[in-house]
Amino acid sequence: MKKKVGRQSILFSERPYLRGRGTVVGKKEGEGPLAGYFDVILDEDMYGEKSWEKAESKMLKESMMRAVQRAGLTKEDIDVMLSGDLLNQLMSSSFMARDLHIPFLGLYGACSTMTESLVMGSILIDGGFAQNVLAGASSHFCTAERQFRMPVEHGNQRPPSAQWTATAAGAVVVSSQEKKPQPAPAVRATAATIGKVIDAGIKDANQMGAAMAPAAVDTLLNHLEDTGRGIDYYDLIATGDLGFIGKDIMVDLLIDAGLPSDKVYERYDDCGTMLFTKEQDVHGGGSGCGCSASVFCGYLLDKLETGQLKKVLLMSTGAMLSTISPFQGESIPGIAHAIALEAE
Amino acid sequence: MKKKVGRQSILFSERPYLRGRGTVVGKKEGEGPLAGYFDVILDEDMYGEKSWEKAESKMLKESMMRAVQRAGLTKEDIDVMLSGDLLNQLMSSSFMARDLHIPFLGLYGACSTMTESLVMGSILIDGGFAQNVLAGASSHFCTAERQFRMPVEHGNQRPPSAQWTATAAGAVVVSSQEKKPQPAPAVRATAATIGKVIDAGIKDANQMGAAMAPAAVDTLLNHLEDTGRGIDYYDLIATGDLGFIGKDIMVDLLIDAGLPSDKVYERYDDCGTMLFTKEQDVHGGGSGCGCSASVFCGYLLDKLETGQLKKVLLMSTGAMLSTISPFQGESIPGIAHAIALEAE
């Protein structure tokens, strides 16, 4: 059965269920506007561990376990686990997968990983390859700062355009069966678009939103064309972590591409601008795999489950730079994947 | 349609075709016993680029393009590209994907990535989500040495158990349609097993084979149990890069697990022991994503296409350590995925 539509999209004939979800966030994220939507808010970002990396791994594991629990399942019911993070060699995900002992596929899409994970998980369910899949992603401000920027203790100044890596983990159980009794409405994955790596030539690692926005525009336009849907098919289209600057660029580019500006302003938002308020001193806004992971698994899924949103397109965005590519003169390519979630 | 069998395996009802393949290897790999099976052998490992990382990315790109060409397709026929490498933030794959401009899913399974890529690619084809998928992986001795070990110029001594990261890239086009005219026989993916992360407590990064062998044993035993196949179902079972020491450990563990020793000796081998001869001074044998990628895409697929092998189980193996996890007291967990390829 052919499920591919158009150039780079998929329609899910079985419409996999998003059956359970879990979120763990850091202290700062727990002081933001979405605080009421998270399962666990840490008092301190070490989470009782001896390193930030171990703390991040524990956050991811806890969000996975919460998702399994809320799905009304046990760890033994999960066929495959998919996840990724920003750490070199996926340290958070690898050690989480060791502890949970579930067949594991590691993914890397920089900050686009939560959507990549959801897309792959939905493919596994939709094709009959699994019955229950765990899909997650995580990031941690301190692990990312020391890996990508400066030692945290150094207290380096950050330009206003720099984004703030979220200390957050989110996970979802994607399933072939709805939870019974199913709290109405059920949330189901209906379509996905796999993104291309797009390079707009941005070389400033403190301008990630600008680097990723062209990829998000490309994926969204292809998604709409492939599926024949208009932007008003969705109540909300949420990019991952373009932040305040990237969101403005995205809006401009979408209007330039001919989408109606009133609809764009009405229906488009960015998780990086939702997780924190500007008063929290996060400069360009939130970023990191955990940003869209926690906003989606905490806030957006709640809105879908309670019927306040009916149709959401999640488009996590990733900047595919490495720690050494800028030193070799490379610009920062971006990527964005999209997945459509509908409450019914 | 349910395609999952047993605890962690999949049977492919559509039996996706491995329709084209490409390989690019370094100078040393081109002096080994499999030299005649590779498409491109480099004169020098910079491949005309200004950095080893860019050279690795170019190798991966070239192997992808060779695979497309041999499949009788063009770049525009490819729906999705899957790949990964050992570099932080998948630098080789990300920049290759930027250049090729095909929808891209990044994977990280350390040296198990070639099989992870093949498994995911076969899932996309088998479920009708795509018609043609590119699956690949790469590694480079110099990029890996400087990232994981010592500056190459330093000329650090290596213990005899240390393995040699292959400078190699391999790629395959997995397709819903056979190539026409099909050179008999066609090679098709028939089953897969997704591995768990297994930690045997090894802490010596110069003993990767020992760290990965338990995961390979676990995956193989589960594969045989899930599919009801005996070890003699396969003409050859090839692990990814356990090397000379890890291969011996694997043999011992399989015999301990009750598999018939004559069959194990007869039908089991390791790509890390096939790519180089011991005289090439590679110590523990070959390793890296490119090791099983090049041995599979170059040598094993040739043997399947010419009917010299009928049924092969490829099990690339990965060591899920990060560059900092050993400093935080962590041991080295391993993972192995398996995919069954049959000529018919």
Side-chain angles (χ1 to χ4, degrees):
Chain A
M1 181 180 187
K2 190 165 169 279
K3 300 185 177 192
K4 189 194 161 196
V5 292
R7 180 72 193 91
Q8 56 194 78
S9 301
I10 286 165
L11 287 183
F12 294 120
S13 58
E14 304 304 314
R15 303 163 74 89
Y17 294 90
L18 272 63
R19 178 173 168 153
R21 59 194 176 84
T23 44
V24 180
V25 302
K27 190 165 181 284
K28 192 179 188 85
E29 291 71 18
E31 293 163 353
L34 306 183
Y37 294 93
F38 302 123
D39 294 334
V40 180
I41 296 173
L42 303 184
D43 293 330
E44 47 84 35
D45 291 358
M46 289 291 275
Y47 204 4
E49 293 292 315
K50 287 189 174 170
S51 74
W52 293 317
E53 288 76 14
K54 291 187 187 209
E56 184 184 332
S57 190
K58 186 177 171 183
M59 290 173 69
L60 183 57
K61 182 177 163 187
E62 181 65 24
S63 70
M64 292 277 190
M65 292 313 297
R66 296 260 172 174
V68 172
Q69 197 175 26
R70 199 178 268 127
L73 298 170
T74 66
K75 197 164 77 65
E76 288 67 33
D77 296 317
I78 307 298
D79 301 311
V80 185
M81 189 163 54
L82 300 151
S83 82
D85 53 79
L86 296 176
L87 295 186
N88 295 340
Q89 294 80 49
L90 301 193
M91 184 172 167
S92 300
S93 294
S94 303
F95 286 92
M96 177 278 299
R98 175 190 66 182
D99 293 352
L100 291 187
H101 216 66
I102 296 168
F104 172 70
L105 293 166
L107 306 177
Y108 183 80
C111 306
S112 73
T113 304
M114 186 67 219
T115 302
E116 182 178 357
S117 190
L118 273 168
V119 170
M120 287 301 325
S122 301
I123 284 171
L124 285 166
I125 298 300
D126 200 65
F129 302 100
Q131 286 173 285
N132 298 296
V133 172
L134 261 172
S138 67
S139 58
H140 192 299
F141 176 78
C142 297
T143 64
E145 281 298 302
R146 82 161 154 199
Q147 181 176 288
F148 290 105
R149 292 188 172 111
M150 291 281 177
V152 180
E153 301 82 350
H154 177 59
N156 192 48
Q157 270 199 320
R158 302 154 55 82
S161 61
Q163 289 178 240
W164 187 276
T165 306
T167 300
V172 172
V173 175
V174 189
S175 182
S176 58
Q177 304 285 323
E178 64 186 326
K179 187 178 171 185
K180 284 175 184 161
Q182 170 64 43
V187 181
R188 305 176 76 169
T190 63
T193 300
I194 300 172
K196 299 189 288 283
V197 176
I198 306 269
D199 194 338
I202 305 285
K203 290 197 172 188
D204 181 355
N206 288 311
Q207 285 284 7
M208 293 290 195
M212 297 186 287
V217 170
D218 185 80
T219 298
L220 178 56
L221 295 179
N222 275 292
H223 176 80
L224 298 177
E225 190 181 324
D226 288 347
T227 59
R229 297 173 180 178
I231 187 169
D232 51 3
Y233 182 88
Y234 295 102
D235 301 322
L236 179 68
I237 292 165
T239 44
D241 56 348
L242 299 184
F244 298 107
I245 297 170
K247 181 181 164 181
D248 286 348
I249 295 172
M250 175 91 179
V251 167
D252 287 348
L253 291 173
L254 290 177
I255 294 169
D256 280 353
L259 293 183
S261 62
D262 55 334
K263 296 277 168 56
V264 171
Y265 283 111
E266 188 182 290
R267 285 155 200 267
Y268 165 65
D269 209 340
D270 179 74
C271 298
T273 66
M274 297 159 78
L275 183 59
F276 300 108
T277 61
K278 284 192 176 177
E279 290 66 42
Q280 283 182 281
D281 200 24
V282 290
H283 297 58
S287 71
C289 307
C291 179
S292 63
S294 62
V295 172
F296 174 71
C297 301
Y299 177 71
L300 296 176
L301 272 178
D302 179 89
K303 295 290 164 198
L304 283 160
E305 287 168 3
T306 54
Q308 295 170 72
L309 290 171
K310 302 281 187 200
K311 291 172 182 170
V312 169
L313 187 72
L314 179 71
M315 296 210 311
S316 306
T317 37
M320 304 300 272
L321 88 166
S322 93
T323 41
I324 65 167
S325 62
F327 298 113
Q328 297 188 2
E330 284 291 359
S331 48
I332 305 172
I335 193 166
H337 305 296
I339 186 159
L341 293 319
E342 304 191 23
E344 57 184 44
Chain B
M1 180 181 188
K2 192 166 168 276
K3 301 186 178 192
K4 189 194 162 198
V5 291
R7 180 73 191 90
Q8 57 193 80
S9 300
I10 288 165
L11 287 184
F12 294 120
S13 57
E14 305 304 314
R15 303 162 74 88
Y17 294 90
L18 272 63
R19 177 171 168 154
R21 57 194 177 84
T23 44
V24 180
V25 302
K27 191 164 181 286
K28 193 181 187 82
E29 292 69 18
E31 292 163 354
L34 306 184
Y37 294 94
F38 303 123
D39 294 333
V40 180
I41 296 173
L42 304 184
D43 294 329
E44 47 84 36
D45 291 358
M46 289 292 275
Y47 205 3
E49 294 292 315
K50 286 189 175 172
S51 74
W52 292 318
E53 289 75 14
K54 291 186 187 212
E56 184 184 332
S57 191
K58 186 176 171 184
M59 290 172 69
L60 182 57
K61 182 177 162 187
E62 181 64 25
S63 70
M64 291 278 191
M65 292 312 297
R66 296 262 174 173
V68 171
Q69 198 175 26
R70 199 179 269 126
L73 299 171
T74 66
K75 197 165 78 65
E76 288 66 34
D77 297 316
I78 307 299
D79 301 312
V80 186
M81 190 164 54
L82 300 151
S83 83
D85 53 80
L86 295 176
L87 294 187
N88 295 340
Q89 294 81 48
L90 302 193
M91 184 172 168
S92 300
S93 295
S94 302
F95 286 94
M96 176 279 298
R98 175 190 65 180
D99 293 352
L100 292 187
H101 215 67
I102 297 168
F104 173 69
L105 294 166
L107 306 176
Y108 184 79
C111 306
S112 73
T113 305
M114 187 67 220
T115 303
E116 182 179 357
S117 190
L118 274 168
V119 170
M120 285 303 325
S122 301
I123 284 171
L124 285 166
I125 298 300
D126 200 64
F129 301 101
Q131 286 174 284
N132 298 297
V133 172
L134 262 173
S138 67
S139 58
H140 192 298
F141 177 78
C142 297
T143 64
E145 280 298 303
R146 82 160 155 198
Q147 181 176 289
F148 290 105
R149 292 187 171 112
M150 292 282 176
V152 180
E153 301 82 351
H154 177 58
N156 192 49
Q157 270 199 320
R158 302 154 56 83
S161 62
Q163 289 178 241
W164 188 277
T165 306
T167 300
V172 172
V173 174
V174 190
S175 181
S176 59
Q177 305 284 324
E178 63 186 326
K179 187 178 170 184
K180 283 175 186 162
Q182 171 64 43
V187 181
R188 304 176 76 170
T190 62
T193 300
I194 299 171
K196 299 190 289 281
V197 176
I198 306 269
D199 194 337
I202 306 284
K203 291 196 172 190
D204 181 354
N206 288 311
Q207 285 284 6
M208 292 291 194
M212 297 186 287
V217 170
D218 184 80
T219 298
L220 179 55
L221 295 178
N222 275 292
H223 176 80
L224 297 177
E225 190 181 325
D226 288 347
T227 58
R229 297 173 180 178
I231 186 170
D232 50 4
Y233 181 87
Y234 295 103
D235 301 321
L236 179 67
I237 293 166
T239 45
D241 57 348
L242 300 183
F244 299 108
I245 297 171
K247 180 181 164 181
D248 286 348
I249 295 172
M250 176 91 179
V251 167
D252 287 349
L253 290 172
L254 291 177
I255 294 170
D256 280 354
L259 294 183
S261 62
D262 55 335
K263 296 277 168 56
V264 171
Y265 283 111
E266 189 182 288
R267 284 156 200 268
Y268 166 64
D269 209 340
D270 179 76
C271 298
T273 67
M274 297 158 78
L275 183 59
F276 301 109
T277 62
K278 284 191 175 177
E279 290 65 42
Q280 285 183 280
D281 200 23
V282 291
H283 297 58
S287 70
C289 307
C291 179
S292 63
S294 61
V295 172
F296 175 71
C297 301
Y299 177 71
L300 295 176
L301 272 178
D302 179 89
K303 294 290 165 200
L304 282 160
E305 286 167 3
T306 54
Q308 295 170 72
L309 290 171
K310 301 280 188 200
K311 291 171 182 172
V312 169
L313 187 71
L314 179 70
M315 294 210 312
S316 305
T317 38
M320 304 299 273
L321 87 166
S322 92
T323 41
I324 64 167
S325 61
F327 299 113
Q328 297 189 2
E330 284 291 359
S331 47
I332 305 171
I335 193 165
H337 305 296
I339 187 159
L341 294 318
E342 305 190 23
E344 54 186 44

